[in-house]
Amino acid sequence: MAVNQATTLKGNGRPQGTPMPGAITSSKPGKTAPRLIEDLLSYDPQCLPPSGRNILTDPAPQFQKDIAPPPLLTKGSCRHKYMRKLDQCHLPSIKWKSDRSTSYKLASFCQECRCHLLLMVDFHNGSGERPCPNSQYPLHHFIHVPQSSSPRRSSVDLRQGDRWVDQQRFECSSPCCPAAITIRITPPRITPEWKKLLTDEELVKKRAEAVMELAPDRFEGHACPAPVNVLINLRLYINNALRNPEVKKIASMNKKFITSFGVDGQPCRDLLMYLGFTYDNGEWTQPQPEMTPSIPLDGSLNILLDDVEKELMVLITQLPEHERRSAALQFSPLPSVKEMRRLLGALDYDTTLASRTIDLTAQEHPYYASLGATLDFSDSLLIFAYERQTASDPESAPYYLECLQDLAEGRKSDELMTKAVLMESEGQFSRKDIPKAYQYFGLNSSSRELDDETIIGSFRSRVGDAPRQEAEMRRALRIIGLDRKSVRIQSEAANSVTNYEQALTWLGAEKATPDEFIVSMYTLKVTENPNEREIARNAVSLIAGKRNSEALKSWLATGELGEVEMDVGHAYNRLGIEDRTLDDEMILTTFDIRVSEAPSQVQDLRLALKSIAKSKDSRLIANYLDTGSSTPEHALHDWPVGLENIGNTCYLNSLLQFYFTVKPLRTLVLNFDDYRMPLDAESLGKKRVGSRKVTAKEVIRAQKFVVELQKLFLSMISASTSAVTPEQELARLTLISSSNEDNIRRMSLLAGKRPSLGEISGMPLLGPLGPPPPGPEAVYENLEIDQAENLMDIDTDLQHGAVDETADVQAAHKDDSSSEATLVEPSANEDNDLMIIDSEPKGQQQQIMDDKENLPPQKVDPPWPSTPDSKQEPLRESSPSKVNEQKRKLTTNKTVGDGICDIVTTNGAPPTPPSEGPPHRPPPVPPRPKAEETKTNVQDEVELGAQQDVTEVVGNVLFQLQCAMKPKSIDKSGEQIDEIKDLFFGKTKSYIVKNNKVRMKEEFFSDIKVDVASGRRDIYSALDGYFDEQMVDVEGSRAPQYGTISQLPPVLQIQVHRVQFDAEKKVSFKSNHHLELKETVFLDRYMDSDDAEHTQRRQESWDWKARLRELQSRKAVLSDTEMRINLPDVLERTKDYLTTLQALEDDDAIEVDSSTLDSIGQMAAEVRRELNDLEAEIKTLTSNINSQFTDLRSIPYRLQSVFIHRGSVSFGHYWIYIYDFAKDVWRKYNDGYVTEVKDRKEIFEQEIYNPATPYFLVYVKDEAKDELVEPVCRHIPEVANERPTEMAKTGHAGESTVAQELEGNRRIPWGGVFQGTTPSTASWDANDTYNPDGW
């Protein structure tokens, strides 16, 4: 009968490839308990073979008759003689019976290499209640569990630095057995260096002689102790400590002690301290372990001393016989092997007859290890081992059958031969049958040109020639199909379809094939061969069931194809969505765009949307499909408002959202009149912000900015919609500093081009052209005439020297806190993380998609890929595509003859209509400027305006807020102190140590700049880089510099630097290394302090980091090679290759000096040891650094905002996550959408492909967080009166309304008044002032 190899029935009637309930489901072999014990005795973690194969955990290599098996053990490895450590064991009674609460441990030491073994057995695994051995499972069959194992890992031992630990976990594969074992191996406690101290005759003699020279009279006639005496003395001290409860002191001149261990014990000090001895005032005190220890021992010191006592006895027994004879010690530990077998249920297993001869060349043939058995297994146990291996590793079943067949022949065993024949009759085949199967069809299995089509063609041809041999041919074909893992060949061989994969293969379909094509393929199959109709219907049925396709099920039942469900991958492609992580709102927006582009395809688009809704289990999209609208998940009054993107302003929106949540800043803006800077000459003459004087023009501009910000905040509070649109003027004032605005105007005069000062309604607002710019009157055109004249006089006085600002302006250019330093002109290679308009010609559609951030508001990112190399044909102007609609909105000029006239003029007057052309025809796309024209005009305009990143805009905003408001006080340097300074600015101290003198400089800071460009790190290590000690050039020499925080701001801003420069390619690029954020950081470690312990901790941390850098540099040398493997592997492969050359036959062999091979092997071993030591020390140092300040937790700051960027250094998209402390919820502010973050991994973990990365972080003081931030502030008027009506018309507070309010100097009550009120009780009172208490 033809049975699939992977599901052949075992002796107990269960399909061999089907795991039994509760059984381990793995595709790897295991080993029986006797085999495991045998391998454990040979397993030496200190001497793994060059191949890296682990005899304990790795599968035995498959034996090839023509190839000598690789050596299983390394020369010099230990064949262990494990002895029991009785005081550390917990063993069962003689007549023990395990249950689920049972656990035992066997502690042993090796009498040869002194390593320690802890074997722990428990019965807690799975739900089985019938432990092996039993009638069905005569032995445990253990499978390695790598996820619960730790092979040869480093573990910090506080008493002896780094010590490796090798821990392996195995579980019984029997479904009814809950047994599991843990094997833990550790190296000797006494290191090779300490062993030499105790046993080297010369060292022992030298120590004793040094002692005797100090007091020759006292030691007259005393002989130097031998190593055996030193070992015995140390053992006596340890034995006394373990068994004598009295605390004993050892006098400094104790003869036995100092002759054994040196003057004051100093030569052996490290060893003695490790063992728990203490030294004080010239006296040593013996270790003080727990005096009434339980058995088994559980105290770390008790176990340590017990281990060392055993090792000392081993060292004594390893001394020359004449020395041991003088010691007269009896040391007869009990072997552990018998207890191992008892614990693992292998004490009395069935063995082969002693008279049985085994006709195999090796003492134990590799077949035994492959089956997880041992040489002495009886035939019935070998069959059991074979069945367990085949069940655990069905893919290797042909090899296991070959093992069984050859062992049957070698043993001359009728029982084994009968089992092998039975397996073949049930459809199993051995490894030997595979080449025979290929030969049956005249095929070469090693041919690269051999494919499934050729094999099936050969089979069909042979069947046509010899139909009587069809059964034999199908068996051979099935073997080939299993060997190649080809579902198609297996289906052909079986002439049946049993699963989804076979159904697809049989029909010639793929997983992505739509349902309607499945029916077409069925029809084609049945037309070609009507006899296969039932098989074809079965294939369609299997596909329908797997896909849960109602369409195919309908076809099978009625012959009519129902509504075809679109494959989810095809659905995303149909909507043009490449990023499947888009939220539901963005998907709906994309759907709306696609429908508007192609209304005739709405049904197909709805199918795609339905498929996506089903795959995401999205109630929002499902509701949209059912009702045509998406109901907001949250009530408007209880949810923040979004900000629409008005063109390249995603980062601006993120920043405005953050500022809105800061309660003191929101209060200041809404009640700006209380903080407004007076504009009289005396006040302006004293005003200094950012270490420089500020002009009247800058103050007026800044106040205009705050008024615009106030408009937006009012709009966000009272909007009855889910999103509002910021004014273009606010965007211009925020993005462009006053100095850069002047630069744009100056460049317009020099270049003859018209610089952009922003946009209105999607159209560019262009600067002056032609005649000289207007005088200062234009700046003050919106003020009263007499006020403007006075202010012009002030500025004139400043310009003519009434106030000497030349020096201050020069200083400002050098000061980081000045607006000039904050908003600088970015060069071509600086960190411009947003879109740069490319002056190179390329397809217009591609250009539009690259300039996504410059497009008018859209609630979805372009879903299709945009790469510099892709070439796309521009769409026709008449196309309804949104791409062209957006492109036309970007078209800012209209050709009139040879000139250009602006669609929107600077004074707001309507444009002159064109003299010809259809009135409704869209303006043509103007020709792109040449590269040389663009270089001096467009590039400067775009970079100075649209290309400022978040951190640059932050500086401009803070500068303008300070300029706009009056000072609270003036510090000794003349710097203005105000609410913004108190809220966002702290102070740092910078120390430079030179010639034993310390220089200190204290200065304000508004953000901390951290670097993740060089690699992955957490927030603490990133902050460390800002404050840690580093070497700087001071007056021609190097000196250490470090920083501290002398004053923390309530709102702490952190800029994340991600941009690097490739010196070879001359381009900047963004680093996407992960920054591990923490929701709470403790800043104690960075505070300025006179505490000596605090200073010492910081110095220790710096020293560790310096050492760590050295180790990592050395590790890189040993690990990073051109072959992409480490240096030890390179050397070992070189040795193996040279050895292979020697083994070549005839004249091809190359003689290689054996000493050369030995040298290479020795070098590889030395380098590997060094690499292991490096890794161990690196791990220790890293642990020390990470734990150095963990106890300092008195200054907590909580993470409140995370600015995110996805893209490259030249383009991308920003959004922000903001935390609501009151509601314990993170929200994502993505332009017009504000959504709840369901899974915080979205913020704190990083994607692999094109990750979104943090660019700017905000932490707030924990104790003041409720007063500092409040994300939700919505007060939507419900009763129509004058003001709400106007708001309802525009979606935000009208400009005229705010202007009237400011003109009338009306105060908006704030300062906590809105807290605790509800939307239904808030109103505007009769005096046009917001009243939260009711209408």
PDB file of all heavy atoms in Angstrom, residues 841-849 864-865 867-877 879 881 883-884 887 925:
ATOM      1  N   PRO A 841      16.343  66.725 -13.625  1.00  0.00           N
ATOM      2  CA  PRO A 841      15.082  66.404 -14.318  1.00  0.00           C
ATOM      3  C   PRO A 841      14.706  64.952 -14.077  1.00  0.00           C
ATOM      4  O   PRO A 841      15.538  64.078 -14.095  1.00  0.00           O
ATOM      5  CB  PRO A 841      15.423  66.635 -15.798  1.00  0.00           C
ATOM      6  CG  PRO A 841      16.779  67.221 -15.854  1.00  0.00           C
ATOM      7  CD  PRO A 841      17.436  67.003 -14.548  1.00  0.00           C
ATOM      8  N   LYS A 842      13.457  64.693 -13.823  1.00  0.00           N
ATOM      9  CA  LYS A 842      12.946  63.336 -13.768  1.00  0.00           C
ATOM     10  C   LYS A 842      11.436  63.380 -13.918  1.00  0.00           C
ATOM     11  O   LYS A 842      10.845  64.453 -13.978  1.00  0.00           O
ATOM     12  CB  LYS A 842      13.328  62.636 -12.463  1.00  0.00           C
ATOM     13  CG  LYS A 842      12.768  63.251 -11.208  1.00  0.00           C
ATOM     14  CD  LYS A 842      13.207  62.430 -10.015  1.00  0.00           C
ATOM     15  CE  LYS A 842      12.733  63.053  -8.723  1.00  0.00           C
ATOM     16  NZ  LYS A 842      13.129  62.260  -7.581  1.00  0.00           N
ATOM     17  N   GLY A 843      10.807  62.228 -13.982  1.00  0.00           N
ATOM     18  CA  GLY A 843       9.370  62.170 -14.218  1.00  0.00           C
ATOM     19  C   GLY A 843       8.608  63.019 -13.232  1.00  0.00           C
ATOM     20  O   GLY A 843       8.875  63.009 -12.035  1.00  0.00           O
ATOM     21  N   GLN A 844       7.621  63.783 -13.712  1.00  0.00           N
ATOM     22  CA  GLN A 844       6.912  64.703 -12.833  1.00  0.00           C
ATOM     23  C   GLN A 844       6.102  63.962 -11.791  1.00  0.00           C
ATOM     24  O   GLN A 844       6.012  64.397 -10.645  1.00  0.00           O
ATOM     25  CB  GLN A 844       5.988  65.598 -13.666  1.00  0.00           C
ATOM     26  CG  GLN A 844       6.760  66.588 -14.536  1.00  0.00           C
ATOM     27  CD  GLN A 844       5.814  67.544 -15.238  1.00  0.00           C
ATOM     28  OE1 GLN A 844       4.673  67.667 -14.851  1.00  0.00           O
ATOM     29  NE2 GLN A 844       6.303  68.201 -16.256  1.00  0.00           N
ATOM     30  N   GLN A 845       5.518  62.866 -12.151  1.00  0.00           N
ATOM     31  CA  GLN A 845       4.756  62.118 -11.143  1.00  0.00           C
ATOM     32  C   GLN A 845       5.671  61.653 -10.029  1.00  0.00           C
ATOM     33  O   GLN A 845       5.344  61.751  -8.856  1.00  0.00           O
ATOM     34  CB  GLN A 845       4.049  60.937 -11.778  1.00  0.00           C
ATOM     35  CG  GLN A 845       3.211  60.155 -10.754  1.00  0.00           C
ATOM     36  CD  GLN A 845       2.677  58.878 -11.329  1.00  0.00           C
ATOM     37  OE1 GLN A 845       3.067  58.505 -12.415  1.00  0.00           O
ATOM     38  NE2 GLN A 845       1.801  58.224 -10.609  1.00  0.00           N
ATOM     39  N   GLN A 846       6.849  61.153 -10.394  1.00  0.00           N
ATOM     40  CA  GLN A 846       7.792  60.713  -9.367  1.00  0.00           C
ATOM     41  C   GLN A 846       8.191  61.882  -8.484  1.00  0.00           C
ATOM     42  O   GLN A 846       8.334  61.764  -7.274  1.00  0.00           O
ATOM     43  CB  GLN A 846       9.032  60.104 -10.042  1.00  0.00           C
ATOM     44  CG  GLN A 846      10.061  59.593  -9.042  1.00  0.00           C
ATOM     45  CD  GLN A 846       9.527  58.442  -8.243  1.00  0.00           C
ATOM     46  OE1 GLN A 846       8.750  57.667  -8.749  1.00  0.00           O
ATOM     47  NE2 GLN A 846       9.902  58.326  -6.995  1.00  0.00           N
ATOM     48  N   GLN A 847       8.386  63.056  -9.109  1.00  0.00           N
ATOM     49  CA  GLN A 847       8.764  64.233  -8.332  1.00  0.00           C
ATOM     50  C   GLN A 847       7.678  64.593  -7.335  1.00  0.00           C
ATOM     51  O   GLN A 847       7.951  64.912  -6.184  1.00  0.00           O
ATOM     52  CB  GLN A 847       9.016  65.412  -9.293  1.00  0.00           C
ATOM     53  CG  GLN A 847       9.372  66.721  -8.584  1.00  0.00           C
ATOM     54  CD  GLN A 847      10.728  66.641  -7.930  1.00  0.00           C
ATOM     55  OE1 GLN A 847      11.535  65.815  -8.305  1.00  0.00           O
ATOM     56  NE2 GLN A 847      10.973  67.474  -6.945  1.00  0.00           N
ATOM     57  N   ILE A 848       6.420  64.518  -7.792  1.00  0.00           N
ATOM     58  CA  ILE A 848       5.313  64.837  -6.897  1.00  0.00           C
ATOM     59  C   ILE A 848       5.303  63.868  -5.717  1.00  0.00           C
ATOM     60  O   ILE A 848       5.130  64.247  -4.572  1.00  0.00           O
ATOM     61  CB  ILE A 848       3.980  64.763  -7.649  1.00  0.00           C
ATOM     62  CG1 ILE A 848       3.930  65.868  -8.717  1.00  0.00           C
ATOM     63  CG2 ILE A 848       2.798  64.922  -6.702  1.00  0.00           C
ATOM     64  CD1 ILE A 848       3.994  67.262  -8.178  1.00  0.00           C
ATOM     65  N   MET A 849       5.511  62.579  -5.981  1.00  0.00           N
ATOM     66  CA  MET A 849       5.454  61.605  -4.904  1.00  0.00           C
ATOM     67  C   MET A 849       6.627  61.769  -3.955  1.00  0.00           C
ATOM     68  O   MET A 849       6.493  61.579  -2.759  1.00  0.00           O
ATOM     69  CB  MET A 849       5.444  60.180  -5.468  1.00  0.00           C
ATOM     70  CG  MET A 849       4.238  59.853  -6.348  1.00  0.00           C
ATOM     71  SD  MET A 849       2.745  60.752  -5.930  1.00  0.00           S
ATOM     72  CE  MET A 849       2.470  60.219  -4.261  1.00  0.00           C
ATOM     73  N   TRP A 864       2.758  53.940  -2.708  1.00  0.00           N
ATOM     74  CA  TRP A 864       3.640  53.249  -3.635  1.00  0.00           C
ATOM     75  C   TRP A 864       5.067  53.699  -3.424  1.00  0.00           C
ATOM     76  O   TRP A 864       5.330  54.787  -2.957  1.00  0.00           O
ATOM     77  CB  TRP A 864       3.190  53.516  -5.070  1.00  0.00           C
ATOM     78  CG  TRP A 864       2.857  54.939  -5.340  1.00  0.00           C
ATOM     79  CD1 TRP A 864       3.695  55.946  -5.642  1.00  0.00           C
ATOM     80  CD2 TRP A 864       1.546  55.522  -5.270  1.00  0.00           C
ATOM     81  NE1 TRP A 864       3.000  57.111  -5.787  1.00  0.00           N
ATOM     82  CE2 TRP A 864       1.687  56.879  -5.575  1.00  0.00           C
ATOM     83  CE3 TRP A 864       0.287  54.984  -5.004  1.00  0.00           C
ATOM     84  CZ2 TRP A 864       0.596  57.749  -5.613  1.00  0.00           C
ATOM     85  CZ3 TRP A 864      -0.787  55.852  -5.039  1.00  0.00           C
ATOM     86  CH2 TRP A 864      -0.627  57.215  -5.342  1.00  0.00           C
ATOM     87  N   PRO A 865       6.042  52.861  -3.750  1.00  0.00           N
ATOM     88  CA  PRO A 865       7.429  53.179  -3.467  1.00  0.00           C
ATOM     89  C   PRO A 865       7.929  54.337  -4.317  1.00  0.00           C
ATOM     90  O   PRO A 865       7.495  54.540  -5.434  1.00  0.00           O
ATOM     91  CB  PRO A 865       8.176  51.876  -3.801  1.00  0.00           C
ATOM     92  CG  PRO A 865       7.286  51.192  -4.775  1.00  0.00           C
ATOM     93  CD  PRO A 865       5.880  51.568  -4.420  1.00  0.00           C
ATOM     94  N   THR A 867      11.650  55.800  -5.353  1.00  0.00           N
ATOM     95  CA  THR A 867      13.090  55.650  -5.307  1.00  0.00           C
ATOM     96  C   THR A 867      13.722  56.538  -6.349  1.00  0.00           C
ATOM     97  O   THR A 867      13.126  56.843  -7.385  1.00  0.00           O
ATOM     98  CB  THR A 867      13.497  54.190  -5.571  1.00  0.00           C
ATOM     99  OG1 THR A 867      13.082  53.846  -6.886  1.00  0.00           O
ATOM    100  CG2 THR A 867      12.856  53.244  -4.575  1.00  0.00           C
ATOM    101  N   PRO A 868      14.947  56.992  -6.086  1.00  0.00           N
ATOM    102  CA  PRO A 868      15.600  57.882  -7.036  1.00  0.00           C
ATOM    103  C   PRO A 868      15.781  57.260  -8.404  1.00  0.00           C
ATOM    104  O   PRO A 868      15.849  57.962  -9.411  1.00  0.00           O
ATOM    105  CB  PRO A 868      16.948  58.154  -6.367  1.00  0.00           C
ATOM    106  CG  PRO A 868      16.750  57.848  -4.941  1.00  0.00           C
ATOM    107  CD  PRO A 868      15.737  56.767  -4.898  1.00  0.00           C
ATOM    108  N   ASP A 869      15.841  55.934  -8.468  1.00  0.00           N
ATOM    109  CA  ASP A 869      16.109  55.294  -9.754  1.00  0.00           C
ATOM    110  C   ASP A 869      14.849  55.016 -10.556  1.00  0.00           C
ATOM    111  O   ASP A 869      14.915  54.716 -11.739  1.00  0.00           O
ATOM    112  CB  ASP A 869      16.858  53.965  -9.524  1.00  0.00           C
ATOM    113  CG  ASP A 869      18.197  54.203  -8.851  1.00  0.00           C
ATOM    114  OD1 ASP A 869      18.765  55.272  -9.098  1.00  0.00           O
ATOM    115  OD2 ASP A 869      18.635  53.331  -8.107  1.00  0.00           O
ATOM    116  N   SER A 870      13.688  55.054  -9.902  1.00  0.00           N
ATOM    117  CA  SER A 870      12.477  54.682 -10.625  1.00  0.00           C
ATOM    118  C   SER A 870      12.067  55.784 -11.586  1.00  0.00           C
ATOM    119  O   SER A 870      12.165  56.961 -11.275  1.00  0.00           O
ATOM    120  CB  SER A 870      11.344  54.405  -9.626  1.00  0.00           C
ATOM    121  OG  SER A 870      11.106  55.539  -8.848  1.00  0.00           O
ATOM    122  N   LYS A 871      11.625  55.398 -12.764  1.00  0.00           N
ATOM    123  CA  LYS A 871      11.191  56.347 -13.784  1.00  0.00           C
ATOM    124  C   LYS A 871       9.714  56.104 -14.052  1.00  0.00           C
ATOM    125  O   LYS A 871       9.316  55.035 -14.494  1.00  0.00           O
ATOM    126  CB  LYS A 871      11.995  56.170 -15.074  1.00  0.00           C
ATOM    127  CG  LYS A 871      13.498  56.378 -14.890  1.00  0.00           C
ATOM    128  CD  LYS A 871      13.819  57.820 -14.521  1.00  0.00           C
ATOM    129  CE  LYS A 871      15.329  58.026 -14.422  1.00  0.00           C
ATOM    130  NZ  LYS A 871      15.664  59.401 -14.027  1.00  0.00           N
ATOM    131  N   GLN A 872       8.875  57.108 -13.797  1.00  0.00           N
ATOM    132  CA  GLN A 872       7.453  56.967 -14.020  1.00  0.00           C
ATOM    133  C   GLN A 872       6.995  58.009 -15.025  1.00  0.00           C
ATOM    134  O   GLN A 872       7.394  59.165 -14.945  1.00  0.00           O
ATOM    135  CB  GLN A 872       6.665  57.128 -12.718  1.00  0.00           C
ATOM    136  CG  GLN A 872       7.050  56.100 -11.661  1.00  0.00           C
ATOM    137  CD  GLN A 872       6.240  56.285 -10.410  1.00  0.00           C
ATOM    138  OE1 GLN A 872       5.257  57.007 -10.425  1.00  0.00           O
ATOM    139  NE2 GLN A 872       6.633  55.636  -9.346  1.00  0.00           N
ATOM    140  N   GLU A 873       6.146  57.584 -15.944  1.00  0.00           N
ATOM    141  CA  GLU A 873       5.616  58.520 -16.915  1.00  0.00           C
ATOM    142  C   GLU A 873       4.606  59.434 -16.231  1.00  0.00           C
ATOM    143  O   GLU A 873       3.753  58.982 -15.468  1.00  0.00           O
ATOM    144  CB  GLU A 873       4.927  57.752 -18.050  1.00  0.00           C
ATOM    145  CG  GLU A 873       5.897  56.941 -18.906  1.00  0.00           C
ATOM    146  CD  GLU A 873       6.887  57.845 -19.611  1.00  0.00           C
ATOM    147  OE1 GLU A 873       6.503  58.970 -19.999  1.00  0.00           O
ATOM    148  OE2 GLU A 873       8.043  57.438 -19.757  1.00  0.00           O
ATOM    149  N   PRO A 874       4.662  60.765 -16.466  1.00  0.00           N
ATOM    150  CA  PRO A 874       3.669  61.667 -15.860  1.00  0.00           C
ATOM    151  C   PRO A 874       2.281  61.384 -16.416  1.00  0.00           C
ATOM    152  O   PRO A 874       2.110  61.062 -17.589  1.00  0.00           O
ATOM    153  CB  PRO A 874       4.177  63.057 -16.261  1.00  0.00           C
ATOM    154  CG  PRO A 874       5.026  62.820 -17.464  1.00  0.00           C
ATOM    155  CD  PRO A 874       5.640  61.465 -17.296  1.00  0.00           C
ATOM    156  N   LEU A 875       1.279  61.491 -15.551  1.00  0.00           N
ATOM    157  CA  LEU A 875      -0.092  61.268 -15.975  1.00  0.00           C
ATOM    158  C   LEU A 875      -0.588  62.436 -16.809  1.00  0.00           C
ATOM    159  O   LEU A 875      -0.065  63.552 -16.722  1.00  0.00           O
ATOM    160  CB  LEU A 875      -1.001  61.069 -14.753  1.00  0.00           C
ATOM    161  CG  LEU A 875      -0.630  59.883 -13.858  1.00  0.00           C
ATOM    162  CD1 LEU A 875      -1.589  59.838 -12.679  1.00  0.00           C
ATOM    163  CD2 LEU A 875      -0.659  58.592 -14.632  1.00  0.00           C
ATOM    164  N   ARG A 876      -1.644  62.188 -17.590  1.00  0.00           N
ATOM    165  CA  ARG A 876      -2.201  63.259 -18.408  1.00  0.00           C
ATOM    166  C   ARG A 876      -2.821  64.323 -17.512  1.00  0.00           C
ATOM    167  O   ARG A 876      -3.340  64.050 -16.447  1.00  0.00           O
ATOM    168  CB  ARG A 876      -3.279  62.673 -19.323  1.00  0.00           C
ATOM    169  CG  ARG A 876      -2.730  61.736 -20.382  1.00  0.00           C
ATOM    170  CD  ARG A 876      -3.848  61.156 -21.236  1.00  0.00           C
ATOM    171  NE  ARG A 876      -4.688  60.235 -20.453  1.00  0.00           N
ATOM    172  CZ  ARG A 876      -5.905  60.536 -20.033  1.00  0.00           C
ATOM    173  NH1 ARG A 876      -6.411  61.729 -20.298  1.00  0.00           N
ATOM    174  NH2 ARG A 876      -6.617  59.668 -19.352  1.00  0.00           N
ATOM    175  N   GLU A 877      -2.786  65.572 -17.995  1.00  0.00           N
ATOM    176  CA  GLU A 877      -3.345  66.676 -17.220  1.00  0.00           C
ATOM    177  C   GLU A 877      -4.820  66.477 -16.950  1.00  0.00           C
ATOM    178  O   GLU A 877      -5.350  66.926 -15.946  1.00  0.00           O
ATOM    179  CB  GLU A 877      -3.128  68.004 -17.969  1.00  0.00           C
ATOM    180  CG  GLU A 877      -1.701  68.505 -17.869  1.00  0.00           C
ATOM    181  CD  GLU A 877      -1.357  68.899 -16.438  1.00  0.00           C
ATOM    182  OE1 GLU A 877      -2.253  69.377 -15.723  1.00  0.00           O
ATOM    183  OE2 GLU A 877      -0.211  68.716 -16.040  1.00  0.00           O
ATOM    184  N   SER A 879      -6.299  63.742 -16.346  1.00  0.00           N
ATOM    185  CA  SER A 879      -6.576  62.604 -15.478  1.00  0.00           C
ATOM    186  C   SER A 879      -7.142  63.077 -14.164  1.00  0.00           C
ATOM    187  O   SER A 879      -6.707  64.083 -13.611  1.00  0.00           O
ATOM    188  CB  SER A 879      -5.286  61.813 -15.231  1.00  0.00           C
ATOM    189  OG  SER A 879      -5.485  60.885 -14.209  1.00  0.00           O
ATOM    190  N   SER A 881      -6.612  61.812 -11.436  1.00  0.00           N
ATOM    191  CA  SER A 881      -5.733  61.353 -10.357  1.00  0.00           C
ATOM    192  C   SER A 881      -5.426  62.464  -9.374  1.00  0.00           C
ATOM    193  O   SER A 881      -5.185  63.601  -9.735  1.00  0.00           O
ATOM    194  CB  SER A 881      -4.423  60.840 -10.955  1.00  0.00           C
ATOM    195  OG  SER A 881      -3.479  60.647  -9.957  1.00  0.00           O
ATOM    196  N   VAL A 883      -2.787  62.685  -7.844  1.00  0.00           N
ATOM    197  CA  VAL A 883      -1.408  63.109  -8.063  1.00  0.00           C
ATOM    198  C   VAL A 883      -1.378  64.355  -8.909  1.00  0.00           C
ATOM    199  O   VAL A 883      -0.713  65.344  -8.612  1.00  0.00           O
ATOM    200  CB  VAL A 883      -0.600  61.979  -8.735  1.00  0.00           C
ATOM    201  CG1 VAL A 883       0.765  62.462  -9.138  1.00  0.00           C
ATOM    202  CG2 VAL A 883      -0.487  60.795  -7.788  1.00  0.00           C
ATOM    203  N   ASN A 884      -2.179  64.363 -10.012  1.00  0.00           N
ATOM    204  CA  ASN A 884      -2.198  65.536 -10.864  1.00  0.00           C
ATOM    205  C   ASN A 884      -2.917  66.693 -10.208  1.00  0.00           C
ATOM    206  O   ASN A 884      -2.561  67.849 -10.411  1.00  0.00           O
ATOM    207  CB  ASN A 884      -2.857  65.205 -12.209  1.00  0.00           C
ATOM    208  CG  ASN A 884      -1.857  64.596 -13.176  1.00  0.00           C
ATOM    209  OD1 ASN A 884      -0.656  64.779 -12.994  1.00  0.00           O
ATOM    210  ND2 ASN A 884      -2.324  63.873 -14.172  1.00  0.00           N
ATOM    211  N   LYS A 887      -0.418  68.099  -8.073  1.00  0.00           N
ATOM    212  CA  LYS A 887       0.621  68.717  -8.877  1.00  0.00           C
ATOM    213  C   LYS A 887       0.160  70.094  -9.346  1.00  0.00           C
ATOM    214  O   LYS A 887       0.902  71.067  -9.333  1.00  0.00           O
ATOM    215  CB  LYS A 887       0.969  67.804 -10.050  1.00  0.00           C
ATOM    216  CG  LYS A 887       2.032  68.364 -10.980  1.00  0.00           C
ATOM    217  CD  LYS A 887       2.383  67.376 -12.063  1.00  0.00           C
ATOM    218  CE  LYS A 887       1.203  67.179 -12.982  1.00  0.00           C
ATOM    219  NZ  LYS A 887       1.547  66.268 -14.102  1.00  0.00           N
ATOM    220  N   VAL A 925       1.913  73.208 -16.254  1.00  0.00           N
ATOM    221  CA  VAL A 925       3.091  73.065 -15.403  1.00  0.00           C
ATOM    222  C   VAL A 925       4.223  73.874 -15.998  1.00  0.00           C
ATOM    223  O   VAL A 925       4.573  73.696 -17.170  1.00  0.00           O
ATOM    224  CB  VAL A 925       3.510  71.593 -15.300  1.00  0.00           C
ATOM    225  CG1 VAL A 925       4.757  71.463 -14.455  1.00  0.00           C
ATOM    226  CG2 VAL A 925       2.367  70.780 -14.717  1.00  0.00           C
TER     227      VAL A 925
END
